[in-house]
Amino acid sequence: MFLTLTVFGFVAMFMTPGLCCSPKEYQTRDGQCCPMCHEGTVVRKDCTRQTGTRCSPCVNGTFMNRPNGLNKCNPCTPCDQGNGLFAKQGCTAATDTVCHVVNGYFCKALMDESGCSSAEKHTQCGPGHRIKAPGTSRTDTVCESCPSGYFSLDGVNCTVWTLCSQTQIKTKEGNMTSDVVCVAASRHHYFPIAALILFTLTVAGLGIKGIKGGLSSIKNEIPRTSDGMASSGSPESKDRGHLG
């Protein structure tokens, strides 16, 4: 009898309004202390002096991952595939979804030790740069500029400039995004020389033709007699008279 009264008094003491509840209990609105519901469940009905707490399981995309005195389960976290996340572990009544990053993305905000709540695509190095450190699931790509004498078109690796040979000449300098341009020296030098020779021959030909044309015109201007001799008034006849 004494033991029964002691137990009843102990229970009544913890259910008395205004008293602090134990770590495994929660306080109701009217100040009563009731046992918490286990993980995966929430309170459906508070305890009374005659009955314990009644709990309901979490369903329909909800969970509860700790002992509680709550009336609603937490919604499961969605993994946004459009932002580089996928469900590594599905949501259960007692655990939330564990999201992880897809290839080409890195985690910007950790949900916990194993999950990620926000991801971002790895930075792509641009032309004139190379990858110093590849991106991982936790870190972004690190880029750096190509050193002098190197170039990069795709932003992955830097390639040394082409060195023109002795039979080539440089027609374009290299920079961070393009290579040196070399061409064969014969193509560069011999064409102007051939063009110059052709031009010289053309001018010479025109000059010779002009001289011949001039001489022919002078000859045609000298008057002739009927027998083909130069007339007396012409310079040619005067020269002959003087000689006679």
Side-chain angles (χ1 to χ4, degrees):
M1 181 67 178
F2 176 78
L3 179 60
T4 302
L5 291 175
T6 302
V7 172
F8 180 81
F10 180 82
V11 173
M13 179 182 67
F14 278 98
M15 295 185 63
T16 302
L19 295 179
C20 293
C21 300
S22 70
K24 294 184 179 181
E25 294 178 326
Y26 71 95
Q27 191 173 29
T28 63
R29 292 181 179 179
D30 58 4
Q32 301 295 327
C33 291
C34 291
M36 289 184 176
C37 291
H38 296 295
E39 296 177 357
T41 63
V42 290
V43 177
R44 180 164 63 90
K45 187 176 181 180
D46 294 330
C47 67
T48 65
R49 293 181 181 274
Q50 291 78 27
T51 61
T53 306
R54 295 184 181 181
C55 304
S56 297
C58 295
V59 294
N60 299 327
T62 61
F63 76 100
M64 180 55 64
N65 57 356
R66 59 186 176 84
N68 68 95
L70 303 176
N71 301 109
K72 291 183 178 181
C73 299
N74 299 319
C76 295
T77 300
C79 299
D80 190 354
Q81 295 182 356
N83 287 324
L85 296 175
F86 73 96
K88 184 178 180 180
Q89 178 180 314
C91 186
T92 67
T95 60
D96 192 9
T97 310
V98 177
C99 301
H100 198 62
V101 296
V102 300
N103 291 334
Y105 285 76
F106 70 100
C107 185
K108 290 191 65 178
L110 292 173
M111 183 183 301
D112 50 38
E113 291 298 325
S114 59
C116 181
S117 61
S118 176
E120 187 173 312
K121 197 170 185 178
H122 286 150
T123 298
Q124 290 186 343
C125 302
H129 297 77
R130 65 182 175 186
I131 298 175
K132 182 178 181 180
T136 67
S137 61
R138 296 293 181 91
T139 60
D140 193 11
T141 304
V142 178
C143 306
E144 67 176 357
S145 301
C146 290
S148 178
Y150 289 77
F151 75 100
S152 173
L153 295 175
D154 53 12
V156 177
N157 295 308
C158 293
T159 305
V160 65
W161 289 344
T162 298
L163 183 62
C164 298
S165 66
Q166 294 181 352
T167 60
Q168 295 177 322
I169 62 169
K170 185 189 300 182
T171 60
K172 183 181 178 182
E173 294 288 345
N175 54 44
M176 291 175 59
T177 59
S178 62
D179 193 10
V180 171
V181 177
C182 304
V183 297
S186 58
R187 182 185 302 175
H188 184 79
H189 288 289
Y190 296 160
F191 178 77
I193 294 174
L196 180 60
I197 293 174
L198 180 61
F199 176 76
T200 303
L201 292 175
T202 302
V203 172
L206 292 175
I208 293 172
K209 185 176 181 181
I211 293 173
K212 288 182 178 180
L215 293 175
S216 177
S217 297
I218 294 173
K219 186 176 182 180
N220 291 334
E221 290 177 358
I222 299 175
R224 299 284 180 177
T225 61
S226 59
D227 58 357
M229 299 298 291
S231 63
S232 59
S234 66
E236 185 178 353
S237 63
K238 291 180 180 180
D239 291 340
R240 288 178 181 175
H242 179 72
L243 292 174

